[in-house]
């Protein structure tokens, strides 16, 4: 999704995963093993999930709680508006 790509960062580009009718947005990065093994492993860090609701023509924006469950953050008229909120992250829900 080209719209989502605009909200990435050149040093840490967004990774987008399609899941049913939603898109999960986050970053993929390498972290070291903590069990004594050499090298690194790739992990995906979730930032948000966006879902388009066709019947209302709206985008639902979700954030992930520490429990691993998605919670509704807010509903937006456009994907751009939702992604601007994620990028600005005024409540610290998406990037910590």
């Amino acid at each position: 999704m080209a719209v989502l790509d605009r909200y990435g960062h050149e040093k840490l580009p967004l990774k987008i995963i399609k899941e049913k009718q939603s898109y999960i947005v986050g970053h993929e990065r390498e972290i070291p093993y903590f069990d004594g093994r050499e090298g690194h492993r790739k992990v995906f860090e979730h930032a948000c999930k966006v879902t388009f609701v066709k019947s209302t023509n709206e985008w639902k924006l979700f954030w992930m709680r520490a429990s691993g469950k998605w919670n509704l953050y807010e509903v937006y008229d456009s994907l751009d508006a939702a992604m601007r909120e994620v990028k600005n992250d005024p409540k610290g829900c998406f990037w910590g």
Side-chain angles (χ1 to χ4, degrees):
M1 293 198 59
V3 172
L4 295 176
D5 289 335
R6 290 194 302 239
Y7 292 94
H9 187 277
E10 63 186 42
K11 292 185 180 179
L12 193 57
L14 292 179
K15 181 170 175 102
I16 302 157
I17 298 172
K18 175 91 166 105
E19 182 182 90
K20 297 181 184 175
Q21 296 178 350
S22 300
Y23 296 93
I24 298 177
V25 180
H27 295 289
E28 188 174 75
R29 63 188 194 119
E30 290 187 356
I31 62 169
Y33 287 104
F34 296 107
D35 60 3
R37 288 186 279 172
E38 294 289 324
H40 294 80
R41 63 185 174 102
K42 288 186 178 184
V43 296
F44 180 73
E45 295 181 343
H46 301 89
C48 69
K49 179 171 81 168
V50 288
T51 302
F52 182 69
V53 181
K54 202 173 193 178
S55 61
T56 59
N57 202 32
E58 295 174 323
W59 287 91
K60 288 186 175 183
L61 176 62
F62 297 86
W63 65 287
M64 186 178 279
R65 297 185 67 95
S67 66
K69 294 184 179 184
W70 291 108
N71 286 56
L72 181 63
Y73 181 85
E74 203 167 319
V75 178
Y76 294 89
D77 292 332
S78 71
L79 180 57
D80 275 326
M83 293 309 296
R84 276 193 302 274
E85 184 75 8
V86 172
K87 186 172 186 172
N88 295 333
D89 196 12
K91 298 177 185 175
C93 293
F94 307 110
W95 306 111

